[in-house]
Amino acid sequence: MPAEDAPTADGHTTTATFGSVTAANMTISSAHDGVFGDPAVEPVAPLALHPSAHVLHYGSACFEGLKAHRGTDGVVRLFRAGDHVRRMQASASAVCLPVPPSALLARMIRDAVVANLDEVPDPPGALYLRPVLIGTDANIGAAATPSRDALLYVLASPVGEYFTFGRTLTLRIETELPRSTPQFGSVKAGANYAMALGLTLKARAEDGADQVLFAPGGDVQETGASNVVLIDDDRLVTKALDRSFLHGVTRDSVLTIARDLGYDVVERDIDVDELLAWTERGEIALVGTAAVMADVGTLVADGLRYDVVASGGPNLRRLRGALVAVQRGEAPDRWGWTDAIDIG
Ligand SMILES: *Cc1c(COP(=O)(O)O)cnc(C)c1O
């Protein structure tokens, strides 16, 4: 995806594609027989893994994605780290890996920010944090046995915007195939992204689409890595939480802010017919840590293109503005979402 220049605090800019550059340091802890050891800060370097490692054969892996933002006041703040810790614990449990204690994971995320503080870009850039957990038992006969050894590490990456704000996105609506499986829709497990990738490449080649919006059987769920919300001047409509899709922290933040600003927030199922009708009357946004809030300009369903008439409208801008103001410490954080990294 195109990246925007993200100036860092020490004055240099990153023009790299989102996520393609890692900051110098990571935090790491290994678990033996289910028990995690003390975390360490280490320079980012190749991992030594036995070729029989469980993750390489049986996909025992999960991850998270969150951001630390540098405010206009110079303070660096983590955004809703506690919620990402809880979600990673749920994912670890779903892939039957040892579950990292919350205090350990929270500390490793924070230490990864501190260890890379000089690489946190100025807005609209941010330091993207990527906690990863993989099963490391060396046993190729362990298809039906959980890995009791694991590696947990937190990478950091100075990023610009994932989707350059102002550019509108084209989504292909997929009504036949699901993104994931019923028991894994709300798990941030690598296998889900491998499953969705082929369909995304096909949508890109055939329709020039940026992403696939999965709507199996007509039930509008989400794209490969973002939730979707419909907005007009009065309402925000989005699918109610169920196991079929990833429960985004950004989704929850946007809903909370929308309620606060007086929008009627409606969580319920949305079918494809309603979504296509919405292109005539409201805005459509992708919401996620990487995407923040990205404007959808066109939907493609069965080869037919539907332009979102209100794309570029004021409601997405307003909600996005309110969200990033909290993240950057420019507006009061009334929900306890931000943790200032105090290194004094
Ligand atoms: C990570 C992710 C999201 C967005 O979640 P956030 O917590 O808002 O970053 C949405 N859908 C999928 C499939 C994801 O992997």
Side-chain angles (χ1 to χ4, degrees):
M1 283 299 124
E4 205 163 75
D5 287 6
T8 61
D10 56 5
H12 69 276
T13 56
T14 173
T15 52
T17 306
F18 189 101
S20 63
V21 171
T22 49
N25 300 303
M26 62 180 179
T27 50
I28 187 161
S29 164
S30 51
H32 299 289
D33 202 17
V35 180
F36 286 88
D38 287 341
V41 176
E42 291 180 3
V44 172
L47 300 171
L49 274 188
H50 195 283
S52 299
H54 199 272
V55 62
L56 300 177
H57 302 264
Y58 305 119
S60 51
C62 62
F63 66 94
E64 265 306 319
L66 69 161
K67 280 177 176 170
H69 303 263
R70 187 184 294 281
T72 31
D73 56 2
V75 175
V76 174
R77 295 172 179 83
L78 269 168
F79 188 68
R80 300 192 68 170
D83 296 284
H84 289 277
V85 166
R86 274 188 287 281
R87 192 169 68 191
M88 182 133 189
Q89 291 177 312
S91 295
S93 170
V95 296
C96 304
L97 284 173
V99 176
S102 46
L104 171 77
L105 181 51
R107 176 178 162 198
M108 287 174 67
I109 291 169
R110 197 183 167 82
D111 286 354
V113 179
V114 172
N116 296 295
L117 209 57
D118 59 348
E119 297 195 57
V120 184
D122 286 330
L127 191 68
Y128 181 80
L129 286 313
R130 169 55 62 86
V132 182
L133 178 66
I134 58 176
T136 54
D137 273 13
N139 178 0
I140 55 175
T145 310
S147 184
R148 296 288 295 154
D149 286 358
L151 205 56
L152 173 66
Y153 55 95
V154 181
L155 288 171
S157 174
V159 296
E161 294 184 289
Y162 190 75
F163 300 118
T164 305
F165 189 56
R167 189 174 82 87
T168 62
L169 302 178
T170 298
L171 310 183
R172 170 193 269 200
I173 300 175
E174 169 61 55
T175 55
E176 271 170 37
L177 296 167
R179 181 185 78 90
S180 175
T181 58
Q183 73 272 33
F184 268 77
S186 56
V187 180
K188 229 169 161 74
N192 284 339
Y193 307 86
M195 280 190 266
L197 182 58
L199 293 169
T200 305
L201 295 180
K202 196 159 171 273
R204 200 171 293 161
E206 293 176 1
D207 292 335
D210 298 289
Q211 299 282 319
V212 173
L213 177 53
F214 290 91
D219 172 35
V220 176
Q221 294 175 340
E222 62 173 332
T223 67
S226 302
N227 298 132
V228 60
V229 297
L230 316 184
I231 326 162
D232 65 15
D233 292 345
D234 309 311
R235 282 194 301 169
L236 183 152
V237 186
T238 194
K239 185 171 170 62
L241 296 179
D242 65 23
R243 303 288 307 277
S244 71
F245 71 102
L246 207 284
H247 302 173
V249 174
T250 313
R251 172 191 177 282
D252 184 73
S253 307
V254 169
L255 267 57
T256 301
I257 286 171
R259 270 186 213 104
D260 190 57
L261 292 175
Y263 289 85
D264 186 15
V265 171
V266 185
E267 294 177 80
R268 58 161 168 79
D269 285 346
I270 298 166
D271 67 25
V272 169
D273 290 341
E274 178 181 7
L275 179 70
L276 295 177
W278 192 273
T279 60
E280 299 289 330
R281 52 178 304 273
E283 297 161 57
I284 302 176
L286 295 188
V287 298
T289 295
V292 191
M293 284 188 84
D295 192 20
V296 175
T298 307
L299 300 177
V300 188
D302 294 325
L304 296 175
R305 302 180 87 84
Y306 299 80
D307 286 334
V308 180
V309 176
S311 166
N315 295 292
L316 190 162
R317 258 169 217 285
R318 186 173 173 217
L319 290 168
R320 181 189 162 104
L323 173 64
V324 303
V326 175
Q327 292 173 331
R328 296 172 190 167
E330 292 162 6
D333 171 14
R334 305 205 318 277
W335 301 282
W337 286 342
T338 56
D339 287 316
I341 304 294
D342 180 3
I343 49 159

